[in-house]
Amino acid sequence: MNENFLWGTATASYQCEGGWNEGGRVPSLWDVYLHENNLENGDDASDHYHKYKEDIRLMKEGGHKAYRFSIAWPRIIKNKEGEVNPEGIQFYHNVIDECLKNGIEPFVTLFHWDLPQYLEDRGGWIERDICSAFVEYARVCFEAYKDKVTFWSTFNEPRYYVFSGYKIGNYPPGLDDTQKTIQGSFYMMLANALTVKLFREMKVPGQIGIVHSYAPVSGVDNSLETKIAMRKADNFFNNWILDTAIKGEIPIDMLSILNEKYDLSFMKEEDFEEIKQNTVDFVGLNYYARALIKPYTSGETILRINNKGKEAKGTSKVVVKDWFEQVFDNPDSTYTEWDTEIYPQGLYQGIMQAYRKYGIPIYITENGIAFYEDVPNEESVDDQGRIHFLNEHIDAILRAAEDGADVRGYFVWSTMDIYSWKNGHEKRYGLIGVDFDNNFERKPKSSYYWYKRVCESNGATIERSKR
Ligand code: BGP
């Protein structure tokens, strides 16, 4: 592997920081939604707000070369008038300085879903004004950290976020509204382009990308019907983010289908021009699983996600009326307790597809697996299942790199156990265990020590599969 390859781990502000009402932070839409609905929340999360030094020390001792984290918009901008919170600015200076002191490259995301509630009150992502609010927030961050940060991402997973909030309804604002889903998606991609434009105008010395929840599409067979369903699924899952951000083109076949049923008049000619002109330098791909697709048969659209784990295993269902259906019970596959297929080949195929199609640098910005683990009662969780999973996925990346793809980094999700959206704290992804009931004590798992050897050997300790 190239010697500059970034081996790291990743988190997101709301999921790990805690300190939800400290340091001048204002509420995000997640605080309000989870509090109002009496759901498990991230008020304290993993207490990274207070323990970031310990966490970054563990990263260093774990051989990590990079840390992907997000800045919380509600820590930086206090109100809709755009007032900056100096304490929030200082907090991320502290985190970034601590990274740099420890030889760890900060890989910064501007938006990992914690929208300030004052903006949600104004209509959130379905109002055009959100684009300028986001650009102004980005300007504050670029100005503050541009001399320290090289890698910037505008958005984490626009598709997953917008669909979950506006169509599936399991995330705030909890709607089932296709028109709003289209609007939210469009404004987020427009905000991405306008932020890239600002980045260039300000001559920020670094690179800017976007992070996508990548679901490489495969089909159940080679029939024409399946091929057509796969194209629609690829537009649904991937192309409207990747084509738009990287090529500056929203897939036209998707727009023309949507135009038959929905009002797209809010998309202005000059918006398409901004999108065309301002494309990203790199792409971050979060890979958990592929999407296995079959043709649509009948019935209404169903998007059912398992946020309950083992008690709801096997209940996930995705049918997009007239477009496609997703298979969740492939007899040749295994699935996690949360219905995520385990399919490392999909990562190799996905990287190769993305690289052939787009030809820009790729970072695997998230990859990992969740388990129920007894962190409080074990000194160090022996997570051989995670080690096996990570080995197979890193093997897939090494293969893709050997076959010519320009893949430049890999981030395990997650650094330590953190709050998982709607799934709570019991859905554990961390290399480092967190005892949430005992002062958030950090307890590195076997995978942490295993990954240290991977990072330090630049991938040489990965057990390779036969080609
Ligand atoms: C991605 C998000 C992360 C993280 C991860 C695992 O979609 O970018 O924030 O949560 O998935 O998902 P979950 O926590 O739902 O299992």
Side-chain angles (χ1 to χ4, degrees), residues 58-72:
L58 283 167
M59 290 175 211
K60 184 193 180 184
E61 290 170 7
H64 306 182
K65 301 205 165 89
Y67 175 38
R68 174 173 177 252
F69 62 93
S70 71
I71 295 178

Side-chain angles (χ1 to χ4, degrees), residues 12 15 68 112-113 156-157 160 171 213 286 288 307 338 366 370 413 418-421 423 427 429:
Q15 297 182 270
R68 174 173 177 252
H112 201 129
W113 305 355
N156 176 72
E157 301 196 351
Y160 207 86
Y171 286 2
S213 46
N286 292 351
Y288 291 89
N307 287 131
W338 291 264
E366 284 179 31
W413 185 266
I418 58 182
Y419 168 80
S420 162
W421 316 101
N423 306 299
K427 189 174 186 185
Y429 281 94

Side-chain angles (χ1 to χ4, degrees), residues 77-311:
I77 309 286
K78 286 162 86 158
N79 50 36
K80 59 181 183 335
E81 288 70 39
E83 194 185 338
V84 175
N85 172 26
E87 265 187 276
I89 296 279
Q90 189 55 47
F91 173 66
Y92 294 105
H93 271 302
N94 296 347
V95 171
I96 293 166
D97 290 347
E98 198 64 22
C99 283
L100 296 175
K101 213 163 76 191
N102 284 285
I104 290 177
E105 186 72 52
F107 202 97
V108 172
T109 309
L110 289 169
F111 184 77
H112 201 129
W113 305 355
D114 38 6
L115 183 74
Q117 179 65 32
Y118 60 80
L119 289 174
E120 180 56 27
D121 291 340
R122 221 175 64 176
W125 286 103
I126 53 169
E127 292 298 328
R128 178 171 282 271
D129 286 359
I130 191 89
C131 297
S132 48
F134 184 75
V135 170
E136 284 315 304
Y137 157 61
R139 183 194 305 279
V140 171
C141 295
F142 293 155
E143 262 160 15
Y145 311 120
K146 66 177 182 320
D147 297 330
K148 300 178 177 178
V149 172
T150 304
F151 298 98
W152 295 89
S153 313
T154 52
F155 290 96
N156 176 72
E157 301 196 351
R159 170 186 77 80
Y160 207 86
Y161 175 81
V162 172
F163 265 86
S164 302
Y166 293 96
K167 185 65 200 164
I168 304 172
N170 58 334
Y171 286 2
L175 306 178
D176 173 4
D177 185 323
T178 307
Q179 175 70 33
K180 288 183 175 156
T181 306
I182 300 169
Q183 257 166 257
S185 308
F186 183 78
Y187 287 139
M188 208 173 255
M189 296 315 290
L190 180 59
N192 172 71
L194 296 172
T195 307
V196 171
K197 183 180 184 181
L198 174 74
F199 189 83
R200 312 259 186 254
E201 281 169 1
M202 288 178 69
K203 298 199 170 26
V204 179
Q207 294 163 33
I208 190 156
I210 192 165
V211 171
H212 172 56
S213 46
Y214 195 30
V217 164
S218 36
V220 288
D221 57 36
N222 280 323
S223 66
L224 179 63
E225 290 72 24
T226 300
K227 295 260 173 256
I228 293 170
M230 282 170 66
R231 168 69 194 177
K232 289 177 176 163
D234 208 12
N235 283 340
F236 177 95
F237 284 114
N238 304 308
N239 298 336
W240 65 267
I241 304 296
L242 297 179
D243 286 13
T244 308
I246 305 174
K247 301 203 296 186
E249 290 164 10
I250 307 178
I252 198 69
D253 55 338
M254 186 188 77
L255 279 184
S256 77
I257 297 178
L258 293 177
N259 197 37
E260 287 166 14
K261 278 208 200 152
Y262 302 99
D263 176 11
L264 305 189
S265 62
F266 66 91
M267 302 181 183
K268 308 279 178 233
E269 220 179 298
E270 54 273 26
D271 299 341
F272 290 107
E273 198 48 36
E274 297 288 12
I275 287 171
K276 183 73 209 168
Q277 293 307 323
N278 299 293
T279 54
V280 292
D281 299 319
F282 69 85
V283 64
L285 300 176
N286 292 351
Y287 180 80
Y288 291 89
R290 66 164 169 178
L292 179 60
I293 297 304
K294 62 179 184 184
Y296 168 78
T297 48
S298 62
E300 292 304 312
T301 292
I302 303 174
L303 301 170
R304 196 160 59 228
I305 302 298
N306 174 2
N307 287 131
K308 292 206 167 77
K310 57 187 171 198
E311 64 180 88

